[in-house]
Amino acid sequence: DGAPKEEASLLSRYACLELEDGSRDRGRTVFDKLLERFPRRADLWQLYVAKTLKAGDVQHARHIQTRLAAADLPPKMMNAALKRFAAFESEHGDAASAAAVKDLARAYVARRKDAMDDEDD
């Protein structure tokens, strides 16, 4: 059943159009609702970040990526997301923001380790 995937695709296109040519707030709201419904869709997170950056809102793009770093993604997806976040901070941030991304990565690794330890018990 491809209905949820088609719905996410359609709504993400609508949100992109709103961010680019319509109401930025409405576009953000649609993306936020999409991410509530599909929190493990890393492609939606990255699309939201890219469109937010294209609109020139670096601070909000940072906020989205911070939320992504706290999401429950598989390790491979989270690794890629954190690498993109680190690259973003090296381009748009300073040493403190780059260090904050490293802290988020360490926190993710600690959460994964704790979860694995709990499974072993």
Side-chain angles (χ1 to χ4, degrees):
D1 183 22
K5 188 173 184 174
E6 290 174 14
E7 179 184 1
S9 176
L10 179 66
L11 287 173
S12 67
R13 286 192 302 244
Y14 172 72
C16 288
L17 289 172
E18 284 292 349
L19 283 173
E20 292 170 1
D21 300 322
S23 165
R24 187 177 291 180
D25 287 338
R26 190 174 16 221
R28 286 179 180 177
T29 300
V30 172
F31 263 121
D32 288 339
K33 294 290 182 188
L34 260 175
L35 293 173
E36 283 176 20
R37 184 140 182 242
F38 303 102
R40 294 173 64 99
R41 291 276 308 265
D43 60 323
L44 294 176
W45 285 98
Q46 294 306 322
L47 181 61
Y48 190 13
V49 169
K51 293 299 179 177
T52 301
L53 274 177
K54 187 175 178 183
D57 194 346
V58 173
Q59 195 61 31
H60 192 68
R62 181 175 288 121
H63 173 73
I64 297 163
Q65 292 187 94
T66 303
R67 286 176 41 208
L68 171 58
D72 181 28
L73 293 178
K76 191 173 181 178
M77 286 181 168
M78 184 59 78
N79 184 29
L82 289 170
K83 282 184 179 180
R84 282 191 294 269
F85 193 9
F88 166 86
E89 287 300 345
S90 68
E91 184 176 336
H92 298 286
D94 55 14
S97 60
V101 173
K102 288 180 183 178
D103 291 342
L104 288 171
R106 285 187 199 103
Y108 175 76
V109 170
R111 282 196 317 266
R112 293 294 300 177
K113 185 177 181 303
D114 289 345
M116 291 175 77
D117 290 345
D118 288 345
E119 288 176 6
D120 291 341
D121 292 342

